[in-house]
């Protein structure tokens, strides 16, 4: 039997369930309303130390992207030794820009402004067989376009 773990605690809802679907966990400053991700106890805008948890939207649009063509320096990178290029990008959520992996490794199939949906992808497998997952964004349908198709 294998177990699955998130790459880090507090980055996204875990485990995602039907009543608590996958969302990134940010923080919202209770003084000025600034939303941060990853969650931060101190506000970078007003220096308040009061914040509350804020679940972020799971949909956004692709703001910019690039391809990670080499294995990032280790540490801190602790992914698999056999490195495969992947895409990384900034996804514009209603709340803020989030840097994330993209599920589509082929930059030819990505375009700025396309709709993206939050998902989980395999990150690495530990020596004890534990599968580690991290969050990523996958190309998604334009919700406005799919609404037009249904009367
Ligand atoms: Zn603030």
């Amino acid at each position: 039997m294998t177990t699955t773990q998130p790459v880090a605690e507090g980055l996204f809802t875990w485990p995602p369930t039907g009543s608590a679907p996958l969302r990134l966990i940010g923080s919202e400053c209770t003084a000025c309303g600034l939303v941060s991700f990853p969650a931060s106890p101190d506000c970078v805008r007003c220096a308040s130390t009061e914040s509350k948890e804020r679940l972020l939207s799971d949909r956004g649009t692709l703001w910019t992207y690039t391809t990670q063509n080499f294995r990032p320096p280790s540490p801190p990178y602790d992914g698999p030794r056999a490195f495969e290029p992947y895409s990384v990008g900034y996804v514009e959520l209603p709340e803020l820009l989030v840097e994330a992996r993209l599920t589509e490794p082929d930059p030819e199939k990505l375009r700025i402004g396309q709709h993206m949906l939050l998902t989980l992808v395999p990150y690495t497998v530990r020596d004890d067989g534990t599968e580690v997952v991290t969050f990523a964004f996958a190309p998604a349908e334009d919700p406005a376009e799919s609404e037009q198709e249904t009367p």
Side-chain angles (χ1 to χ4, degrees):
M1 182 185 155
T2 59
T3 52
T4 306
Q5 283 183 350
V7 68
E9 294 286 331
L11 274 182
F12 44 84
T13 50
W14 186 263
T17 63
S19 56
L22 178 66
R23 292 294 183 89
L24 297 179
I25 302 171
S27 60
E28 180 181 331
C29 172
T30 52
C32 77
L34 183 74
V35 178
S36 305
F37 178 82
S40 164
D42 300 318
C43 180
V44 295
R45 186 160 71 191
C46 76
S48 165
T49 54
E50 304 277 321
S51 66
K52 61 183 181 183
E53 184 178 290
R54 167 81 181 259
L55 296 183
L56 306 180
S57 303
D58 60 356
R59 287 174 178 274
T61 54
L62 190 56
W63 191 69
T64 192
Y65 58 92
T66 187
T67 304
Q68 181 73 37
N69 276 316
F70 56 92
R71 194 175 187 277
S74 179
Y77 185 76
D78 59 354
R81 236 164 260 291
F83 182 77
E84 283 184 32
Y86 56 87
S87 299
V88 292
Y90 280 94
V91 175
E92 188 168 26
L93 301 180
E95 296 88 358
L96 78 170
L97 277 178
V98 168
E99 185 183 7
R101 282 193 188 212
L102 308 177
T103 59
E104 175 55 67
D106 183 355
E108 298 292 315
K109 293 178 181 169
L110 294 166
R111 63 180 170 81
I112 286 171
Q114 80 180 116
H115 289 261
M116 306 296 285
L117 180 64
L118 182 66
T119 187
L120 292 175
V121 293
Y123 178 73
T124 191
V125 178
R126 296 221 174 96
D127 291 341
D128 64 2
T130 302
E131 293 174 1
V132 180
V133 294
T134 189
F135 69 93
F137 280 87
E141 282 182 23
D142 184 335
E145 282 174 12
S146 53
E147 271 171 31
Q148 287 166 2
E149 284 163 18
T150 47

